Amino acid sequence: MQTQSSNPEAERRIQKLTQHLNPLPRHLLSATNHHFAIKPCAAKSKLNVDTSSLSSYMRGKNNDIQEKVIKFFNANPHLQTPIEISKDDHRELCMKQLLGLVKDAGIMPLHYVLHDPSTYFAILEAVGSYDMSLSVKMGVQYSLWGGSVMNLGTQKHKDKYYDAINNLDYTGCFAMTELHHGSNVQGLQTIATFDPITDEFIIDTPNDGAIKWWIGNAAVHGKFATVFARLKLPNYDTKGVSDMGVHAFIVPIRDMKTHQPLPGIEIQDCGHKVGLNGVDNGALRFRSVRIPRDNLLNRFGDVSRDGKYTSSLPSENKRFAATLGELVGGRVGLAYSSVSVLKVASTIAIRYSLLRQQFGPLNQPEVRILDYQSQQHKLMPMLASTYAFHFATTNLVEKYSEIKKTHNEELVADVHALSAGLKAYVTSYTAKSLSICREACGGHGYAAVNRFGSLRNDHDIFQTFEGDNTVLLQQVAGDLLKQYQGMFKGGTLAVTWNYLRESMNTYLSQPNPVTARWEGEDHLRNPKFQLDAFRYRTSRLLHSVALRFRKHSKSLGTFGAWNRCLNHLLTLAESHIESVILAKFIEAVQSCPDRSSQSALKLVCDLYALDRIWNDIGTYRNVDYVAPNKAKAIHKLSEYLSFQVRNIAGELVDAFDLPEHVTQAPIAMQSEAYSKYTQYVGFQ
C-alpha cells in the first residue's frame, strides 16, 4: 500500500486546496509562510495614502467646472434621470437637461470645444455621471454638429452659426453614417450635385443603402444637419459630371417655426436601442433638396459661382484625410469618457467587496469578499488599469488641446494615431470590465439601481461609433508598418513611435541569458525592465508581421495579405497601445509631487505592468526573454502586489473623487439589515 509521504506533490496540492476551502484560524495565519494563504488585512503593512493629495494630482485644473455641473443637478432634482423612464420621456428629459445646463447654469460647451478641449471633456465627464445619454447628446450638438461647422467651415460659417449653435437655437445632427456604409466613409453614396444655373447644391439619396442612419438628434430635436455627401460637378467638356469625393454640407432639415420636416426631407425614428435611449437617433432621406452654394463647408475645398473647384490640398485622399483629421476630437472624448465609466463601475464593485462578507473560518466572523484571492484577481488589476488609462487619456487630451492651439503637423499625426488606438483599447477593456464588475457583486449587481445594467448598455456602443474598434486597431497597425518601413530607409519616427528604433535593435539581437533569469523584486519592479518588456514584445510582433505581410503580398496581393495577417496585426496594435499606456503611467508616477501618493501610484503601476506581462507570458517564454524561474517570480509578485493594492483599494477609489450620487449607487445592494453599509455611504 502506498503511503502519503510517497507523493509529496499530491500532498502539497491537497494542503493548498484545503487552505482555500477551510482557512486557518486567524491567530495561526501569521505562523505560516505560505505566500498564497488567505491573510487578514492587518497581516501586512499598509501604505498610508493621502487621498486628498492623490485626488488633487489626478483631478487637475477642471474641478471647478465639474462642481458647477454637480451643483446644478443637485439643485434641480427634477432634472435627474430616474431608473424607470420611457424612451420618449427620456428624450424630452435629456433635452431639458441640456437646455438647463446652457441657459440656466450658463455653461457654453462650444467655446470649450474650440478653445479649451480639456475643460469640455471634463464637462462631459460630469454630465455623464448623471446620464450618459446627456453626455452623448451634448457631444452630438457641440462636438459633432458644432465642431464640424466650425472646423470644416470658414469664417462666414462661424459668423452665421456660432452663437445659435452655442445657445441651442440651432440644434443639429452629424449625418455621416449610412445604412450600407459606416466605417468606410469614402464609400458614402449620398450625392451633392452643383447646379450652376441656380447656384445651389442638390442633395439626393440615390438608393435605400444611402439613407443616413443612426443620426443623433435627427428623430426629434435636430433642425440642421452636417451632411457628408459625394460632391458632383458638371464637366463641360464631356457633358458629364466629375466626382470630387466626400465633402460636408449644412442642410436645414426642419422648419424653424413649425419644427416640421422641410420639403424633400424624410425623417424616421430608429426606435428603442440597447442603451442611450435619451438620444433621439433617426434616419434621413433626401429627395432633391436644394441648398445655397455657401452651405458647402469649404475649408479644404470650394466651388466657385461658375462651378470651378479649388483646394489647397493636391488630391482627394489628402482632402479626405484632412477632413477626418478635424473630427478626431470625438475619439479623444470617447477614450476619456470610457475611463470615467470604468471609474464608476470599479468604485461600486470595490466598495461593495470591501463591505460584503461571506464564509470564513469555523466559529469566527465571515470575511470580506475582497479578502478572497479570486475577487482580488478580478478587481485589483482592473483598478490598476483604471489608473493607467486615466493618465494615458489625460495625456491624450493635453496633446489634443495643444494641437488646437499650435496646429503642429507632427503632433496632429501623433494624436490621430494615438486617439484611434486608445479609443479602441480602452473602450473594449471597459466593456468587458463592466460585466466583470456586475458578476463580482453577485445578485445585488443585477439590480438596476446599482447602475451596472445602464452603464453596460449605454457604454456598449462606445466600441462602435467614432470608428469601429477593429477598424481603428488596423489603422494603428498600418501606421506601425509605415514607421517600420521608414525606419529602415533612414526616416525619422513620429513622437509616439520613437521607442521602436532602440527596441527593434534589442529584438534583432538575442535575449540576454543573464537578465532573462533575474528574478529579484527590485529588478521586476524596475520601470525600465517593465517598459523594455512591453516594447520588446511590440517590436517582435512588428518584425514578424512585416515579414509575413511581405511574403503573402507576393501571392495574395496587398488586400489578401492584410486579411491573412489580420489577427496578428490586431495583436500588434494592442501591444503598442499597452506600451504607450505604461510609459505614460510611469511618467505620472515619477512626476507626482506627494511622496505618499507616489508610493501608492508606484504600487499600482507595478501591478499593471507585471499583470500584463504575466497574461502574455507565453510570448516571452517562446523567445527565452523570460526564463522559467523568472516567469514564476513574476506571477508570485503580481499576486502579492494585487494583495497590497487590495489593502489600499478603498483609498484608491476615494481618490477618483466621484460625485456623491455615484458613490451612493451600491446602497441598494443591501437590505435594511445591513445598517453599517448604509452608514458607510452616508445614510443615517
Side-chain angles (χ1 to χ4, degrees):
M1 183 176 176
Q2 191 178 27
T3 63
Q4 283 186 324
S5 59
S6 65
N7 193 345
E9 178 62 19
E11 184 177 345
R12 185 189 68 81
R13 289 177 179 270
I14 291 171
Q15 181 184 19
K16 182 177 177 181
L17 180 60
T18 302
Q19 286 176 331
H20 279 290
L21 297 176
N22 299 293
L24 292 172
R26 292 179 183 268
H27 69 280
L28 294 178
L29 281 170
S30 59
T32 178
N33 290 321
H34 196 287
H35 183 70
F36 296 108
I38 297 177
K39 302 178 179 67
C41 295
K44 290 288 181 181
S45 61
K46 173 182 173 181
L47 286 173
N48 291 317
V49 182
D50 185 340
T51 303
S52 61
S53 295
L54 179 56
S55 178
S56 177
Y57 179 60
M58 293 183 64
R59 187 170 57 235
K61 65 176 185 177
N62 295 311
N63 187 51
D64 289 346
I65 193 73
Q66 292 187 322
E67 285 295 326
K68 190 174 183 179
V69 172
I70 292 166
K71 286 180 179 178
F72 170 76
F73 277 105
N74 287 344
N76 294 277
H78 64 285
L79 290 180
Q80 296 184 25
T81 307
I83 296 170
E84 297 185 34
I85 186 170
S86 70
K87 169 178 66 67
D88 292 340
D89 288 346
H90 196 178
R91 289 174 171 181
E92 289 309 309
L93 176 60
C94 208
M95 190 66 206
K96 289 177 182 177
Q97 291 169 333
L98 187 55
L99 284 166
L101 284 168
V102 172
K103 296 187 179 294
D104 298 334
I107 294 173
M108 295 295 180
L110 189 57
H111 169 79
Y112 299 116
V113 168
L114 300 177
H115 305 294
D116 188 0
S118 64
T119 299
Y120 172 69
F121 294 134
I123 295 170
L124 286 183
E125 181 179 31
V127 301
S129 70
Y130 286 92
D131 189 338
M132 266 198 276
S133 286
L134 174 57
S135 65
V136 171
K137 193 172 186 70
M138 179 181 285
V140 170
Q141 172 67 17
Y142 292 107
S143 181
L144 295 180
W145 155 237
S148 62
V149 173
M150 298 299 118
N151 292 322
L152 301 181
T154 49
Q155 192 60 45
K156 62 183 178 184
H157 300 109
K158 297 175 184 178
D159 293 342
K160 183 176 180 179
Y161 291 97
Y162 179 90
D163 288 339
I165 292 174
N166 203 25
N167 63 26
L168 292 173
D169 288 342
Y170 286 0
T171 48
C173 319
F174 184 80
M176 177 181 281
T177 299
E178 295 177 356
L179 184 59
H180 283 180
H181 287 89
S183 299
N184 183 12
V185 179
Q186 282 185 300
L188 296 179
Q189 295 177 307
T190 301
I191 296 170
T193 306
F194 180 62
D195 182 349
I197 297 175
T198 62
D199 197 25
E200 294 173 319
F201 292 105
I202 305 170
I203 312 296
D204 266 308
T205 302
N207 54 63
D208 288 351
I211 295 172
K212 296 296 182 180
W213 208 267
W214 293 123
I215 309 305
N217 267 359
V220 179
H221 298 123
K223 298 173 182 175
F224 293 83
T226 296
V227 176
F228 288 80
R230 311 196 70 81
L231 172 59
K232 300 291 184 76
L233 296 178
N235 189 325
Y236 298 105
D237 295 333
T238 63
K239 296 183 180 180
V241 293
S242 298
D243 187 335
M244 307 306 297
V246 175
H247 288 64
F249 303 82
I250 296 174
V251 181
I253 62 173
R254 285 187 172 92
D255 186 278
M256 292 297 294
K257 294 180 180 179
T258 67
H259 203 64
Q260 293 301 305
L262 291 169
I265 306 286
E266 296 179 9
I267 304 176
Q268 299 296 330
D269 195 325
C270 288
H272 199 276
K273 306 183 295 289
V274 170
L276 297 177
N277 281 297
V279 182
D280 52 313
N281 293 88
L284 299 173
R285 184 172 205 140
F286 307 98
R287 297 189 186 273
S288 298
V289 176
R290 289 179 172 268
I291 59 173
R293 180 167 54 90
D294 278 351
N295 283 27
L296 168 65
L297 294 172
N298 60 337
R299 179 180 172 189
F300 298 117
D302 202 1
V303 176
S304 66
R305 176 65 183 84
D306 59 357
K308 297 285 181 62
Y309 185 82
T310 56
S311 175
S312 59
L313 299 173
S315 68
E316 179 182 332
N317 285 339
K318 291 280 188 182
R319 294 191 294 271
F320 179 75
T323 298
L324 292 191
E326 285 300 319
L327 306 175
V328 73
R331 293 174 184 169
V332 176
L334 280 180
Y336 186 82
S337 297
S338 185
V339 178
S340 301
V341 175
L342 188 57
K343 288 177 183 177
V344 172
S346 58
T347 295
I348 294 171
I350 288 170
R351 286 186 171 173
Y352 173 79
S353 299
L354 283 167
L355 294 157
R356 178 72 167 181
Q357 297 177 345
Q358 292 287 284
F359 306 109
L362 186 63
N363 297 324
Q364 293 195 39
E366 292 182 302
V367 301
R368 288 171 288 192
I369 61 175
L370 199 55
D371 284 340
Y372 288 97
Q373 191 182 64
S374 56
Q375 194 80 343
Q376 293 170 18
H377 181 70
K378 289 177 184 177
L379 297 178
M380 295 304 98
M382 183 191 301
L383 179 58
S385 297
T386 307
Y387 268 81
F389 297 167
H390 167 86
F391 291 114
T393 55
T394 299
N395 175 261
L396 175 62
V397 168
E398 291 171 355
K399 285 187 173 183
Y400 178 70
S401 299
E402 185 178 343
I403 67 172
K404 298 298 287 184
K405 297 175 182 176
T406 65
H407 304 288
N408 181 305
E409 290 189 8
E410 183 179 356
L411 196 57
V412 168
D414 191 42
V415 169
H416 195 269
L418 190 57
S419 63
L422 281 173
K423 183 269 183 186
Y425 188 90
V426 171
T427 58
S428 291
Y429 184 94
T430 298
K432 296 181 181 73
S433 298
L434 287 166
S435 291
I436 293 172
C437 286
R438 203 295 303 158
E439 180 187 344
C441 294
H444 293 306
Y446 202 61
V449 72
N450 296 312
R451 304 195 66 191
F452 291 123
S454 60
L455 288 172
R456 185 168 56 187
N457 291 345
D458 288 345
H459 177 275
D460 193 63
I461 194 62
F462 281 35
Q463 300 173 93
T464 302
F465 61 23
E466 293 291 341
D468 174 85
N469 284 358
T470 302
V471 174
L472 292 181
L473 288 175
Q474 290 181 70
Q475 180 182 317
V476 174
D479 286 341
L480 279 163
L481 285 176
K482 288 178 184 177
Q483 295 290 334
Y484 177 83
Q485 293 168 351
M487 183 173 60
F488 285 102
K489 293 178 181 177
T492 58
L493 297 178
V495 179
T496 298
W497 326 88
N498 274 335
Y499 73 85
L500 285 173
R501 190 182 305 279
E502 180 180 350
S503 186
M504 186 61 70
N505 291 335
T506 302
Y507 166 68
L508 293 174
S509 61
Q510 292 296 317
N512 187 324
V514 176
T515 57
R517 287 166 172 76
W518 287 353
E519 56 181 286
E521 181 176 336
D522 289 344
H523 167 68
L524 297 181
R525 296 188 67 176
N526 188 319
K528 185 179 187 309
F529 157 70
Q530 297 165 1
L531 199 52
D532 283 350
F534 275 50
R535 290 173 169 177
Y536 180 89
R537 177 185 58 171
T538 302
S539 295
R540 177 181 181 274
L541 288 164
L542 177 56
H543 183 69
S544 58
V545 80
L547 294 178
R548 284 188 66 207
F549 183 71
R550 183 186 306 167
K551 170 188 172 184
H552 291 305
S553 293
K554 296 176 182 177
S555 58
L556 300 175
T558 302
F559 182 85
W562 186 269
N563 195 35
R564 178 66 65 87
C565 300
L566 186 52
N567 289 335
H568 195 159
L569 290 161
L570 296 176
T571 303
L572 164 66
E574 290 176 340
S575 176
H576 167 68
I577 293 301
E578 287 183 348
S579 298
V580 172
I581 291 170
L582 178 60
K584 296 307 171 188
F585 200 173
I586 290 171
E587 288 178 13
V589 173
Q590 295 171 344
S591 301
C592 184
D594 178 70
R595 180 167 295 183
S596 73
S597 299
Q598 187 180 58
S599 298
L601 290 175
K602 178 67 169 72
L603 175 64
V604 175
C605 185
D606 288 342
L607 174 58
Y608 173 80
L610 294 178
D611 181 71
R612 286 296 191 284
I613 292 172
W614 173 251
N615 286 340
D616 199 18
I617 198 67
T619 296
Y620 297 103
R621 285 290 302 115
N622 284 343
V623 292
D624 289 327
Y625 189 85
V626 169
N629 64 314
K630 188 171 187 175
K632 185 177 181 180
I634 289 171
H635 185 215
K636 287 184 175 180
L637 182 56
S638 65
E639 295 210 332
Y640 170 74
L641 294 175
S642 182
F643 177 81
Q644 291 292 86
V645 170
R646 173 259 172 273
N647 279 340
I648 58 171
E651 291 93 328
L652 290 172
V653 296
D654 285 348
F656 292 150
D657 196 24
L658 297 173
E660 187 178 353
H661 65 275
V662 174
T663 60
Q664 287 183 352
I667 161 183
M669 292 177 179
Q670 306 291 337
S671 68
E672 292 180 0
Y674 294 91
S675 58
K676 67 177 181 179
Y677 184 86
T678 60
Q679 291 169 7
Y680 174 81
V681 294
F683 280 74
Q684 300 302 318

